[in-house]
């Protein structure tokens, strides 16, 4: 099981680095857009659209990492008031519900993509399905990370790790 966790952590490092690169690209693109608009007086017509689509990807990729690190918003009052065994059962139930919801998101995400085949974006003329691919891709990554969280709950590693640790 440690091998599965190690593979997931390596995958999350790659995703985290990809998110950082995308953020950098959005920043550079925005700075260049301002320069082109106000200095060159020739605005880029596609930069806002690309930034928007990249932000969508950041959200779905980042959700998968946040899920793994325990950084998603949750109500933990009940978990802190109950005994350790009940807390573990509640954690398992939460992860199982997440898995069901992520499976639904994967299924319908692919359905949305299938419905958008043939449509393209306004400014860049790329397939709209590429943007919507963020939904099933992010949900698949979150699904895999949920399985790792479930493994950690049963292997007691979850008690050793710091929930708010941002180090990847």
């Amino acid at each position: 099981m440690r091998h599965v966790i190690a593979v997931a952590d390596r995958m999350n490092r790659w995703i985290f680095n990809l998110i950082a690169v995308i953020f950098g690209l959005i920043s550079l693109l925005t700075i260049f857009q301002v320069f082109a608009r106000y200095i060159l007086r020739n605005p880029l017509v596609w930069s806002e659209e690309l930034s928007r689509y990249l932000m969508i990807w950041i959200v779905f990729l980042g959700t998968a990492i946040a899920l793994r690190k325990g950084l998603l918003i949750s109500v933990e009052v009940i978990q802190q008031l109950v005994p350790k065994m009940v807390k573990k059962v509640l954690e398992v139930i939460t992860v199982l519900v997440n898995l069901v919801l992520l499976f639904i998101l994967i299924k319908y995400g692919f359905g949305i993509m299938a419905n958008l085949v043939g449509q393209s974006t306004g400014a860049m003329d790329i397939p709209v399905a590429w943007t919507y691919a963020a939904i099933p891709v992010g949900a698949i990554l979150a699904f895999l990370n949920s399985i790792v969280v479930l493994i950690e709950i049963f292997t007691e590693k979850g008690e050793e790790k710091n929930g708010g640790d941002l180090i990847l």
Side-chain angles (χ1 to χ4, degrees):
M1 290 297 159
R2 287 184 185 167
H3 179 68
V4 172
I5 295 170
V7 169
D9 287 342
R10 198 172 314 118
M11 175 190 70
N12 286 336
R13 274 192 293 277
W14 279 95
I15 294 168
F16 188 81
N17 290 333
L18 176 64
I19 291 170
V21 168
I22 294 172
F23 261 127
L25 179 64
I26 290 172
S27 299
L28 292 174
L29 187 61
T30 303
I31 290 168
F32 186 70
Q33 167 63 4
V34 170
F35 175 77
R37 180 178 303 256
Y38 294 107
I39 305 298
L40 301 178
R41 304 270 185 216
N42 189 13
L44 305 173
V45 294
W46 51 269
S47 65
E48 184 211 346
E49 188 173 279
L50 179 60
S51 294
R52 185 179 332 122
Y53 297 151
L54 290 175
M55 278 294 214
I56 291 168
W57 275 92
I58 286 172
V59 167
F60 281 97
L61 294 175
T63 299
I65 293 175
L67 189 144
R68 169 74 170 89
K69 294 292 181 181
L71 298 174
L72 293 177
I73 191 167
S74 63
V75 179
E76 298 176 345
V77 173
I78 295 173
Q79 286 185 352
Q80 293 175 1
L81 296 175
V82 297
K84 188 176 180 181
M85 191 59 183
V86 176
K87 179 181 178 180
K88 194 175 226 182
V89 169
L90 290 174
E91 288 174 351
V92 170
I93 291 170
T94 302
V95 173
L96 292 176
V97 169
N98 277 344
L99 287 169
V100 169
L101 293 174
L102 288 168
F103 178 78
I104 292 168
L105 195 58
I106 292 166
K107 178 183 174 193
Y108 284 102
F110 281 120
I112 290 170
M113 283 179 58
N115 288 335
L116 294 173
V117 170
Q119 294 184 26
S120 60
T121 62
M124 296 188 316
D125 199 36
I126 61 171
V128 175
W130 289 6
T131 302
Y132 283 86
I135 297 170
V137 169
I140 288 169
L141 295 171
F143 190 91
L144 296 174
N145 279 324
S146 292
I147 292 172
V148 171
V149 168
L150 197 59
I151 291 170
E152 285 185 335
I153 290 171
F154 285 115
T155 60
E156 296 290 330
K157 186 178 180 210
E159 294 176 13
E160 300 169 12
K161 118 180 161 173
N162 290 333
D165 193 9
L166 286 174
I167 298 173
L168 295 173

